[in-house]
Amino acid sequence: MLETSARLLRLLSLLQTHRDWTGTELADRLDVTPRTVRNDVERLRNLGYPVHATRGAAGGYRLGAGASLPPLLLDDEEAVAVAVGLRTAAGGTVSGIEETSLRALAKLEQVLPNRLRRRVNALQTYTVPVPGQEGPRVDAEVLTTIAAACRDHERLRFDYRDHSGAATLRNVEPYRMVNWGRRWYLVAWDTQRDDWRIFRVDRVSPRTPTGPRFTPRDLPAEDIAEYVSARVAAAPWRTRVRVTVKAPAAEIAARVPGFAGSVEPLDDDTCVFSTGADNPETLAIWLGMLGADFTVENAPELVDHLRSLAERYARAAAN
């Protein structure tokens, strides 16, 4: 039988990994009597852990939320995951949490065993961020406000700026947030347009308080991440182009990210790459990544940029 202190830690660990436990289940796991479980639960309560109990045949124990945050038990993998997440948050896309992330990380690393600290440090030492990948940053309070509205099924009103900078007031039923690359997106039902919409969170300015509760609808797709990526990729570009590429479709599809456009086969050795961008310079760079010969259809402005880029490369190769 475990000593009392070790048993309490084991009991706490069980309560943190399962929503409900019967007294019999806990007694079997700890190899003690149900009376000992009741006594240990009371000891945890005295230490500040809000363990709720329900009576009856379907009764049991549940670790709930309290007025203050008690200590948490983390296994090795969880501790490493939290440490990595805090280091990422300190320099990520969410603004306003850098300092608090570093404070929390310092507390965690102070108590990490050496073997775990080495794992976290190795990841930091041998992981190099790509420079020049700065994107829009989202205020942490905005994220928590939207997440709470999603959780509580409360309508959300916010001021929204579109890609041209025009501002509108939106009233939506929020459902999910998707983090894709350097951007955050909100999937919501727009009550004014009576349809699903995707909003860039960095362009959202929530108004408080939130609106009334709503009855959740079926989501527009089972895979919300794929739903967002497909629609963001199909967003209107200022410049669109179809390119015939002298390479198999599977080969080209493997070379370009999904958001860059679509690839359709013409035959075994040729495909069409449909893409777009806000300017022809960006398109010229995308096409340079294809690694195969191609022909541009009906885009003379893009051809001019390709010619200019080719001349620049030729001059660089001659030096």
Side-chain angles (χ1 to χ4, degrees):
M1 183 182 298
L2 296 172
E3 295 293 333
T4 300
S5 58
R7 192 175 66 244
L8 286 178
L9 290 174
R10 175 61 176 155
L11 173 59
L12 180 58
S13 178
L14 291 172
L15 290 172
Q16 288 181 169
T17 57
H18 199 291
R19 186 168 180 81
D20 294 287
W21 291 91
T22 66
T24 302
E25 289 173 332
L26 291 173
D28 290 342
R29 288 294 189 101
L30 299 172
D31 193 22
V32 296
T33 65
R35 180 179 179 180
T36 300
V37 170
R38 291 193 295 271
N39 292 336
D40 287 347
V41 165
E42 192 60 34
R43 292 188 180 97
L44 288 178
R45 288 171 177 161
N46 292 334
L47 292 172
Y49 293 94
V51 183
H52 304 311
T54 55
R55 298 182 180 277
Y61 297 97
R62 173 186 298 184
L63 186 63
S68 59
L69 180 65
L72 300 177
L73 292 180
L74 302 174
D75 61 28
D76 287 2
E77 299 303 321
E78 291 169 340
V80 171
V82 170
V84 171
L86 289 170
R87 287 193 174 184
T88 302
T93 59
V94 182
S95 64
I97 63 171
E98 299 90 347
E99 182 180 350
T100 51
S101 297
L102 289 173
R103 289 205 310 268
L105 179 62
K107 292 178 181 179
L108 178 60
E109 290 192 334
Q110 183 177 3
V111 296
L112 280 179
N114 287 334
R115 67 181 189 281
L116 299 185
R117 189 179 295 111
R118 285 197 299 270
R119 288 173 59 183
V120 175
N121 289 338
L123 182 62
Q124 182 186 35
T125 301
Y126 295 101
T127 301
V128 180
V130 176
Q133 297 295 312
E134 289 298 324
R137 307 197 72 198
V138 179
D139 188 275
E141 187 174 350
V142 172
L143 284 179
T144 55
T145 297
I146 295 176
C150 293
R151 178 198 62 201
D152 299 334
H153 306 309
E154 292 180 343
R155 284 193 179 183
L156 189 66
R157 295 185 309 136
F158 55 84
D159 296 301
Y160 189 70
R161 294 175 293 101
D162 63 19
H163 67 279
S164 66
T168 56
L169 175 62
R170 314 304 282 265
N171 193 324
V172 306
E173 297 174 359
Y175 284 84
R176 296 289 189 276
M177 282 192 295
V178 176
N179 178 218
W180 186 24
R182 303 287 299 183
R183 291 189 173 97
W184 289 82
Y185 296 91
L186 166 65
V187 179
W189 177 265
D190 192 315
T191 60
Q192 296 163 303
R193 292 157 179 79
D194 200 32
D195 197 5
W196 291 99
R197 289 291 189 270
I198 298 172
F199 301 95
R200 281 259 302 267
V201 177
D202 59 290
R203 297 173 177 169
V204 169
S205 298
R207 294 193 178 191
T208 55
T210 53
R213 293 176 63 87
F214 61 86
T215 301
R217 307 169 187 268
D218 291 334
L219 291 171
E222 292 185 6
D223 190 334
I224 289 297
E226 182 180 349
Y227 174 83
V228 169
S229 63
R231 276 148 187 80
V232 171
W237 287 302
R238 291 189 178 92
T239 303
R240 298 189 65 92
V241 66
R242 282 170 53 89
V243 179
T244 301
V245 187
K246 297 180 180 179
E251 180 180 321
I252 297 303
R255 291 180 181 175
V256 296
F259 63 81
S262 62
V263 180
E264 301 176 1
L266 287 180
D267 53 44
D268 291 343
D269 301 314
T270 313
C271 64
V272 171
F273 177 40
S274 299
T275 186
D278 287 339
N279 56 73
E281 294 91 340
T282 301
L283 276 176
I285 294 173
W286 277 123
L287 297 178
M289 297 171 59
L290 295 179
D293 292 341
F294 59 86
T295 302
V296 177
E297 302 177 14
N298 300 324
E301 185 180 2
L302 173 59
V303 172
D304 289 341
H305 281 281
L306 289 171
R307 185 176 295 111
S308 175
L309 189 62
E311 292 172 354
R312 188 179 308 136
Y313 285 167
R315 289 192 299 270
N319 293 334

